[in-house]
Amino acid sequence: EGKLKGQQEEAARMIEETEAKIKEQAEKLRLQEEEAARKASETEERIKQQEEEAARKAAETEAKIKAQEDALREGGEKTSAEIASKVEGLEGRVQAAETKLDDHETTQKELEWKVSTVEAAY
């Protein structure tokens, strides 16, 4: 009976030790799960911030591209208007030159007529 009691006490002590180890392991696992959840949450937050930053930069880039396109379009329109204005100015100068040339030709013909009239008179 003493031997049986000793064995029962030994078994009870081993069970208590095993239960204590199980509780210790369970606590370690719980702490690891909490740490993993915290890290996952931090990672998700960093990813969210990076996505927001990327979206912000993409929006800024799109706005810059649109502004550049608008500036190029406006510049092209201004350049086209400037070229058209210069062409009109050149056309006006050409017409003025042609008119002067016509005037000179007319004057030349008048002078030739006068010379021939004077020569015929003598």
Side-chain angles (χ1 to χ4, degrees), residues 1-10:
E1 190 173 307
K3 189 175 183 182
L4 183 60
K5 187 170 177 145
Q7 287 177 344
Q8 286 177 340
E9 287 174 0
E10 179 65 22

Side-chain angles (χ1 to χ4, degrees), residues 17-119:
E17 287 176 3
T18 302
E19 286 176 349
K21 287 180 183 178
I22 290 171
K23 284 182 183 178
E24 186 179 315
Q25 287 296 324
E27 181 64 14
K28 284 181 183 179
L29 285 174
R30 186 186 66 77
L31 292 174
Q32 288 175 348
E33 285 177 1
E34 286 178 3
E35 180 68 10
R38 182 184 62 76
K39 286 183 178 179
S41 176
E42 289 173 357
T43 300
E44 288 173 357
E45 183 62 27
R46 277 196 307 275
I47 290 170
K48 181 182 172 191
Q49 289 173 353
Q50 289 171 348
E51 288 173 344
E52 289 172 355
E53 179 69 11
R56 184 185 62 77
K57 285 183 178 180
E60 287 175 0
T61 301
E62 286 179 24
K64 286 178 185 176
I65 289 170
K66 185 177 182 329
Q68 289 173 345
E69 287 174 345
D70 291 347
L72 286 173
R73 193 174 306 108
E74 287 177 19
E77 289 169 2
K78 285 181 184 176
T79 301
S80 294
E82 289 170 359
I83 290 170
S85 174
K86 287 178 181 177
V87 166
E88 286 176 21
L90 290 173
E91 287 174 348
R93 289 172 62 187
V94 166
Q95 281 182 329
E98 287 175 347
T99 301
K100 275 186 175 182
L101 182 60
D102 287 346
D103 290 347
H104 285 294
E105 287 176 354
T106 302
T107 304
Q108 180 70 28
K109 286 180 182 176
E110 287 174 356
L111 288 173
E112 288 173 0
W113 178 79
K114 286 181 181 178
V115 167
S116 65
T117 305
V118 169
E119 287 176 350

